[in-house]
Amino acid sequence: MVEEEVVHRRFMARAFRLARRGAGWVSPNPMVGAVIVNRGRIVGEGYHRQRGMPHAEVLAIEDAGREVAGADLYANLEPCCHHGHTPPCTDAILDAGIRRVWVSVLDPNPLVAGRGVRLLRRHGVEVHLGLLAGEGGRLNEFYLTHAGTGRPFVVLKLAATLDGKIATATGESRWISGTASRKLGHRLRQEVDAILVGVGTVLADDPQLTVRMGVRRPRHPVRVILDTRLQTPLNARVLNDLPGVRTIVACGKDRDARRENRIRLLGAEIWPFAADSRGRVNARSVIRRLGREGLTSVLVEGGREVAASMLRDRIADKILMVLAPRILGGDAWNSVGDLGIRRISRSVTLSEVRSRRVGEDILVEGYLRREKS
Ligand code: AOF
Ligand code: ZN
């Protein structure tokens, strides 16, 4: 029995790996991988490549050909039972004569949400739900958050020194982290729907916010700048490089109309918002609107004020902190602005913390408890 469990996990882990190949391409759909096993041997595999394209299960069934009859299927997400761009996977599974199905997590899409599993069971298929559910949930944390709540999953990424600094006293920040972790940053950009920074970062670093280093087939995320008073320079690289990439400048309602027009002429969208209690664009409203526009994930790359509001207002779901083996001292810039915390018991605390080496740097990641919004 225990041995058998190990085998099931191995096939599900294979489905996870296949699913991950769709990272960055499937949004707003989930990443899904499927494996078909007959008499202990993998006879078919498939994964969802891109939104609008066939589903993992259907591809795996095709791949298995005649060997699918009486076989087992492993899928990281509950098979769909509705007509979208493609017909229901549950029909394909039943037509193929698959006998047993292992599913990691349910699909929160209201058109599915447990119906896929129930339908299969009703037709005599043996369905096992919850195999490697923790990892299956983390794999699709963008999709599951967005499909379940309508808001995107928010990742706050910071690259700092061991003493938590992101720039020297003169504002120099290139480069605190090493090549390996900067490459990782570009791969991460490739997987999210939007990158968001504050105007302070645009003024200090003039970033492009595009996918470059070591990514073969770049897919650029939407660029979002929080810029209450429209201070983004008209010659900033975010407004001028890669004009085909959608760029959004979120500003206060009380803005300069001439400047707004000039930014629009460069191809960027202007999104006006009410200010928060500190007189800045309300980041939570911006994030919510991104979710309404179908964006499932946002990577926040700083600077310190934006990082502070993501933590203060509990907007971030996850933190990725790259720590470079350097020290800059007290006159350098902090990675996170003031949070007004007086007691250790009130500190922003991560859970499910993991860490690993990336080149010379250390990557620490963990989850935050988010307030409902
Ligand atoms: C699956 N297998 O590989 C995927 C599923 O418009 P469609 O037809 O692509 O349907 C998209 C919805 O189907 C998506 O919102 C989610 O509920 C489910 N995705 N389901 O069984 C897959 N990609
Ligand atoms: Zn499907």
Side-chain angles (χ1 to χ4, degrees):
M1 177 63 206
V2 175
E3 241 169 73
E4 202 175 304
E5 188 64 25
V6 172
V7 172
H8 295 316
R9 286 177 188 210
R10 216 182 62 223
F11 291 133
M12 186 58 84
R14 176 70 190 152
F16 290 171
R17 271 201 302 284
L18 290 164
R20 277 204 62 78
R21 293 191 190 163
W25 296 96
V26 295
S27 174
N29 278 353
M31 290 181 259
V32 185
V35 173
I36 293 176
V37 174
N38 201 336
R39 276 170 266 135
R41 212 166 47 84
I42 293 183
V43 294
E45 292 186 336
Y47 70 96
H48 187 46
R49 281 170 194 271
Q50 203 168 337
R51 165 185 198 189
M53 306 257 278
H55 286 187
E57 297 89 325
V58 169
L59 292 173
I61 288 169
E62 268 173 27
D63 187 36
R66 290 219 314 259
E67 304 218 56
V68 74
D72 297 339
L73 174 113
Y74 295 81
N76 59 293
L77 194 79
E78 174 184 17
C80 70
C81 51
H82 67 294
H83 288 266
H85 289 101
T86 67
C89 286
T90 45
D91 285 0
I93 292 169
L94 295 173
D95 291 347
I98 287 173
R99 284 224 188 96
R100 303 189 297 176
V101 173
W102 273 265
V103 169
S104 182
V105 294
L106 289 177
D107 183 350
N109 179 345
L111 297 171
V112 189
R115 279 191 202 96
V117 167
R118 281 202 297 277
L119 190 142
L120 291 174
R121 283 188 176 145
R122 221 182 315 125
H123 287 86
V125 178
E126 184 183 316
V127 183
H128 300 261
L129 181 63
L131 180 60
L132 298 179
E135 202 181 330
R138 276 193 297 275
L139 171 71
N140 268 312
E141 55 199 7
F142 299 171
Y143 170 78
L144 295 173
T145 301
H146 187 257
T149 67
R151 62 169 171 80
F153 188 88
V154 178
V155 181
L156 172 61
K157 194 204 110 199
L158 297 168
T161 61
L162 287 184
D163 54 339
K165 306 295 178 176
I166 53 165
T168 65
T170 60
E172 195 178 296
S173 63
R174 290 199 162 112
W175 296 105
I176 285 179
S177 47
T179 320
S181 31
R182 277 159 40 222
K183 276 195 177 150
L184 182 104
H186 280 264
R187 280 208 302 281
L188 206 70
R189 284 180 174 184
Q190 165 89 355
E191 295 185 3
V192 294
D193 293 343
I195 317 181
L196 182 149
V197 296
V199 68
T201 298
V202 174
L203 292 169
D205 297 346
D206 194 17
Q208 286 169 276
L209 304 182
T210 54
V211 177
R212 298 181 307 278
M213 286 173 89
V215 177
R216 257 186 292 141
R217 216 164 40 119
R219 185 211 114 265
H220 304 290
V222 173
R223 302 179 282 198
V224 185
I225 306 159
L226 299 188
D227 182 6
T228 309
R229 292 188 300 281
L230 293 183
Q231 291 172 297
T232 299
L234 295 171
N235 62 358
R237 297 206 283 185
V238 267
L239 295 182
N240 296 279
D241 291 6
L242 288 179
V245 177
R246 187 173 179 200
T247 307
I248 295 162
V249 181
C251 61
K253 286 223 150 90
D254 179 21
R255 64 212 182 268
D256 182 307
R258 271 215 3 240
R259 199 156 175 89
E260 171 176 348
N261 280 335
R262 294 179 70 181
I263 294 177
R264 276 191 208 277
L265 282 175
L266 291 169
E269 295 166 41
I270 301 276
W271 286 9
F273 286 95
D276 64 11
S277 55
R278 289 173 173 75
R280 300 207 184 90
V281 173
N282 190 326
R284 187 188 291 277
S285 314
V286 178
I287 298 284
R288 238 187 269 137
R289 173 144 175 213
L290 291 169
R292 279 201 302 275
E293 301 228 345
L295 282 78
T296 65
S297 55
V298 179
L299 177 65
V300 179
E301 294 201 12
R304 58 190 162 172
E305 294 312 324
V306 174
S309 70
M310 291 293 146
L311 299 178
R312 197 190 304 111
D313 301 335
R314 308 266 172 208
I315 298 171
D317 294 281
K318 186 179 191 175
I319 293 189
L320 296 182
M321 178 71 106
V322 175
L323 290 171
R326 306 172 188 277
I327 290 175
L328 283 172
D331 51 343
W333 296 7
N334 284 320
S335 52
V336 181
D338 296 354
L339 293 176
I341 295 168
R342 296 281 170 272
R343 309 190 69 99
I344 300 288
S345 61
R346 295 268 168 186
S347 52
V348 178
T349 309
L350 310 188
S351 59
E352 296 174 66
V353 181
R354 286 185 295 181
S355 61
R356 62 184 164 98
R357 286 281 297 270
V358 181
E360 292 282 289
D361 304 334
I362 296 165
L363 174 70
V364 182
E365 47 187 316
Y367 291 85
L368 295 166
R369 201 173 26 82
R370 199 172 138 151
E371 267 169 24
K372 303 259 176 296
S373 70

